[in-house]
Amino acid sequence: MKSIDAAAAISVMDLFTIGIGPSSSHTVGPMRAALMFVEAVAAAGLTPTRLLTDLYGSLALTGRGHATDSAILLGLSGHRPETVDPEAMGAIVAAIREQGRLTGPAGTVAFDEATDLLLHMGTFLEGHSNAMRFTAFVGDEAVMAREYWSIGGGAVVEAGVDPAAIGPGHNHVQPLPFSSGAEMLAAGEETGLSIAAIVLANERAWRPPAETAAFLDSVAAAMSASIDRGVRQEGILPGGLKVKRRARAIHARLRSQPASEQAARVFEWVSLFALAVNEENAAGGRVVTAPTNGAAGVIPAVIRYYEKFVPGADAEGVRSFLLTAAAIGFLYKKRASISAAEMGCQGEVGVACSMAAAGLAAVLGATNQQIENAAEIGMEHNLGLTCDPIGGLVQIPCIERNTMGAVKAINAAYLAMQGDGRHIVSLDAVIETMRQTGEDMQSRYKETSLGGLAVNVVEC
């Protein structure tokens, strides 16, 4: 398992990124890796005649269903997940395949998918279960080769390069660093600050508070937009399972209910919000990794619950929600992993549920101890959750699983607030339990589509 050095600083900008579906580790990460490679080739002044991509482990086994192949082509062509137009991606990839050439930072290169994009089914590299290798050739000579790992949430590291030595965390000293739930609570006790305020203080190591607030607002806006677009769309999701989008019909039905019945349908609304986001994700739309694409609907759904059903909700509350959720996400990244290829779905929907529970508790007025308890409850009841997507697609059970995670998060927040913050199982203990469970989990239950529902349900 490749986790992040506990001493490495992580920013909210590392945790929440705006990208495209359907998967942060299988789509966003490979696109970034491919772009990193061709930019390195270009920076070296090389003019390749061939670019070879080898995919291993989970990337090979479920790559087609997660659009890893398309993501690689887009990345080699110079596109970024943050800025590529989701509506144009299909045409770009189709043109590459039809014309047999890639044009990007490394120039124009002939491309034959049968020989230049290889999926090594069942072969796992030692470094990571989401590994990929890129090789640039001039004639028959390999002039540059790099191996990258997609470690979850769209994050990518190069094999042999210390993650702590690259990226935003390098040479940034946080005033209130924490690498465990206990340290996080201790920082609050010593300073009197809320968890959100602790994170905001640490973000000053990178940028002024106003810039962090603007970033959080952009994340919240993107999350909200993914809900709103999701409830407007209809039709069949791509991939061959013939899964019908349901959010629009559910939205129309809920809106038609009398106002007197709306309070009784709160969880139906929450489920709708999560469903809408993950239908968008499955369709390759714009979503926020929170902390991954496969779990992208949980936090937006709980934020929309706060905005729609909690009196006094405002933009500052949403920022506090996201900062608090980020604090919990940092701990999972540092002490375990948010990659389903390493942890199963407990590392995606489970972590998102834990983060959302903490964020909601914070904006409901919880103490730091109650927030930590809410995060613990959110994960405790997702332990052992497998990742077994049918057909390698983030549709079944992934879309509905987000609705369950959102509802659990709300329940966890309110349950934690019934107590005084003292509880038997600590957040640190449950994170360690998740890590151990993930390592014990057989690989066929970790985003390989070789076990569970993926083999027990006949594809339509």
Side-chain angles (χ1 to χ4, degrees), residues 24 26 30 54 91 94 136 143 242 262 275 294 307 325 419 424:
S24 48
H26 286 58
D54 293 282
V143 294
K242 300 179 182 177
Q262 293 298 320
L275 194 80
E307 294 173 325
I424 294 174

Side-chain angles (χ1 to χ4, degrees), residues 231 244-259 261-262 265 268-269 271-272 275:
V231 299
K244 185 178 181 180
R245 297 183 88 152
R246 291 175 284 173
R248 179 170 175 167
I250 294 172
H251 184 239
R253 188 162 57 251
L254 287 175
R255 289 188 65 189
S256 70
Q257 299 298 321
E261 295 185 18
Q262 293 298 320
R265 298 182 179 275
E268 291 182 60
W269 279 102
S271 293
L272 165 66
L275 194 80

Side-chain angles (χ1 to χ4, degrees), residues 160-192:
V161 177
D162 181 5
I166 60 176
H170 183 46
N171 289 336
H172 287 81
V173 179
Q174 297 176 316
L176 298 170
F178 59 89
S179 296
S180 69
E183 291 177 358
M184 178 182 71
L185 291 177
E189 288 286 336
E190 292 170 7
T191 63

